[in-house]
Amino acid sequence: MLLTEPRSSSPIRSQWAAELREELTRVICAICPPWLSADREDLVQTTVLAVSRHLDDGEGVDLPSSSYLRRVAHNALVDEIRRRRRRREVPLQTTAMADLAADRAPGPEAVHRGGEIRRGIRECLQRLVRSRRMAVTLYLLGHSVPRASELLGWGRKRTENLVFRGLSDLRSCLESMDLRP
Amino acid sequence: MTSEAEETARLRRAFAATTPSDAPRPDCPPSSRLWEGVHGELPSAELRLLLAHLAECPVCTEAWRLAEELGEAGGRRRSRRWLWVGAAAAAVVVLAVGIAQVRWQGPPTSPGERAAQERVIASLVKGALPRGDCLLRWTGPRGARYDVVVTTGELEVVSRAAGLEKPAFRVPAADLAQVAPGARLLFRVTAELPSDGLAVSETFSFQLRDDHGDG
């Protein structure tokens, strides 16, 4: 039997792993809250290992396409974050909620207020009619109207109208709860 | 920044915020389903369910944003040389089928209901299908409406249809124009049941055949 270099140590694999690490670090810092991104090295390492194991389990192919790898990396990262959240191996203090209510002025009252706003938004979303809720949810997720329109398969005008009316309903609902983001 | 833009930014920040005490829920969709949602690979009925969940769940909101950011990262860097080696159809198909095994039905149903939903859609496609008459057929409950998504082995969407009243879809030849001869394609069907429930099929596969005279 011909012995070959283990796939996991091939130069291509090493290059890929280095680029994936860099990308994951950036994405975690951009999206995850401080308490989670503080663990980013550990998260990145766990994710890269999971993707490597996945590739080793594949049949005879060193590396598939980048879109496939990013998909696998996302799934591994999210699964790991979910595991950590379930275990709650994190300190309970966080500034994330405080930042919502008062920029860089954390305090118990700001944390409480931030939590109320967050809960209020989700509660008010439930009260919107379905089409507005879908459009506004995508908008709040950070998508532009054209992108939301593309994802929903609706016309741009219709999506824009639903976002506009949905946001207006959301604001009114928050005001009725005495909440102002 | 205008006050309206500032308010939108604050709303978005509040919606995206998570706390350490936010934990995944039993009805959270698999991470793969969130990736599919972000990248436009879900039938509309499934996307609707997913968005209803996202409106409630901060943990999945975070996962959705990670999918968007990782996907965007790849798009932005497409011009840069990543040293990715060609396609890995076999491995990808394994993943695609694996993903399909985890069927997210939204809020949990009873085991009996779930089993019944999984049995409800079966492919009637046998062997290869000609490019010029690529007719997908499947079994389904009476009165259901169907969404179908056809993808390559690498899960890139080739064609899709929504609101079909019959359990069949003829893939337009134009949608298949870029697909290589002999390629293996995947399709998945979502049935919107008359009872207002949803049933999601397994991922089925078929081969595309190029016959003489198919044009």
Side-chain angles (χ1 to χ4, degrees):
Chain A
M1 187 181 173
L2 184 66
L3 289 176
T4 56
E5 188 184 19
R7 276 180 286 155
S8 56
S9 65
S10 73
I12 290 174
R13 184 73 74 86
S14 302
Q15 169 77 19
W16 154 77
E19 295 206 4
L20 183 60
R21 275 197 185 89
E22 185 190 319
E23 201 56 59
L24 285 169
T25 303
R26 189 191 64 74
V27 166
I28 291 169
C29 288
I31 303 294
C32 295
W35 64 266
L36 199 50
S37 58
D39 274 351
R40 63 182 172 272
E41 278 180 29
D42 204 19
L43 275 172
V44 167
Q45 186 62 12
T46 308
T47 304
V48 172
L49 281 175
V51 177
S52 278
R53 270 198 301 274
H54 186 92
L55 293 176
D56 287 340
D57 290 344
E59 291 181 1
V61 178
D62 198 2
L63 280 180
S65 68
S66 70
S67 62
Y68 172 77
L69 285 174
R70 279 183 277 115
R71 177 192 293 258
V72 176
H74 167 266
N75 297 347
L77 175 62
V78 169
D79 290 346
E80 181 58 26
I81 289 174
R82 285 176 173 178
R83 246 190 306 278
R84 283 165 191 248
R85 284 189 177 281
R86 272 191 208 102
R87 290 202 307 253
R88 298 185 191 180
E89 285 180 350
V90 291
L92 281 172
Q93 70 274 14
T94 175
T95 58
M97 301 311 303
D99 286 349
L100 298 175
D103 282 348
R104 309 193 185 287
E109 200 178 318
V111 170
H112 177 71
R113 187 74 180 158
E116 278 189 339
I117 292 169
R118 192 180 77 128
R119 272 190 299 277
I121 290 174
R122 293 192 182 270
E123 201 178 311
C124 287
L125 275 176
Q126 301 310 312
R127 299 184 192 175
L128 301 186
V129 294
R130 194 172 70 189
S131 54
R132 290 183 190 179
R133 184 172 63 233
M134 290 170 73
V136 170
T137 300
L138 282 173
Y139 192 74
L140 292 180
L141 282 164
H143 298 297
S144 63
V145 168
R147 176 80 173 120
S149 150
E150 185 188 315
L151 282 169
L152 292 167
W154 297 340
R156 198 169 291 191
K157 271 282 162 208
R158 181 187 177 202
T159 309
E160 191 173 28
N161 191 33
L162 290 168
V163 168
F164 180 80
R165 287 170 191 273
L167 281 176
S168 172
D169 292 347
L170 182 64
R171 283 188 200 103
S172 305
C173 176
L174 288 171
E175 275 170 25
S176 73
M177 294 176 170
D178 198 24
L179 293 173
R180 281 174 191 81
Chain B
M1 199 186 277
T2 64
S3 63
E4 194 178 334
E6 281 168 8
E7 192 207 43
T8 299
R10 282 198 298 272
L11 279 172
R12 282 177 163 170
R13 217 161 52 229
F15 185 66
T18 60
T19 66
S21 58
D22 287 327
R25 302 171 0 176
D27 63 338
C28 283
S31 48
S32 57
R33 192 55 51 95
L34 289 153
W35 179 274
E36 290 171 337
V38 169
H39 294 92
E41 295 166 12
L42 286 184
S44 55
E46 280 187 68
L47 179 65
R48 200 180 68 207
L49 269 181
L50 188 58
L51 289 176
H53 180 81
L54 287 167
E56 295 176 351
C57 178
V59 176
C60 288
T61 299
E62 180 181 78
W64 174 282
R65 293 174 68 236
L66 285 168
E68 173 76 6
E69 190 70 19
L70 264 176
E72 271 192 357
R76 276 198 300 269
R77 297 179 57 167
R78 213 163 276 148
S79 58
R80 196 174 146 187
R81 190 135 189 259
W82 265 57
L83 297 177
W84 304 125
V85 175
V92 171
V93 169
V94 166
L95 176 78
V97 173
I99 288 169
Q101 298 309 313
V102 188
R103 298 177 199 90
W104 180 58
Q105 307 284 344
T109 52
S110 72
E113 279 174 314
R114 201 173 300 130
Q117 283 185 346
E118 288 173 359
R119 279 198 303 271
V120 97
I121 304 171
S123 171
L124 293 175
V125 173
K126 299 266 187 284
L129 291 175
R131 187 185 295 267
D133 184 23
C134 184
L135 179 64
L136 306 177
R137 295 188 307 122
W138 56 89
T139 62
R142 192 184 295 272
R145 291 167 74 90
Y146 304 96
D147 292 353
V148 57
V149 179
V150 184
T151 71
T152 64
E154 289 197 297
L155 306 184
E156 281 165 12
V157 177
V158 170
S159 187
R160 66 193 319 157
L164 300 171
E165 290 176 358
K166 292 184 177 168
F169 173 56
R170 181 171 275 106
V171 186
D175 290 355
L176 297 169
Q178 302 301 318
V179 179
R184 183 157 290 278
L185 296 178
L186 309 171
F187 74 100
R188 187 171 59 197
V189 177
T190 304
E192 213 167 335
L193 306 172
S195 57
D196 211 26
L198 273 185
V200 184
S201 76
E202 294 177 32
T203 298
F204 308 117
S205 74
F206 66 97
Q207 198 166 12
L208 195 63
R209 193 178 73 214
D210 275 288
D211 291 340
H212 275 305
D214 274 351

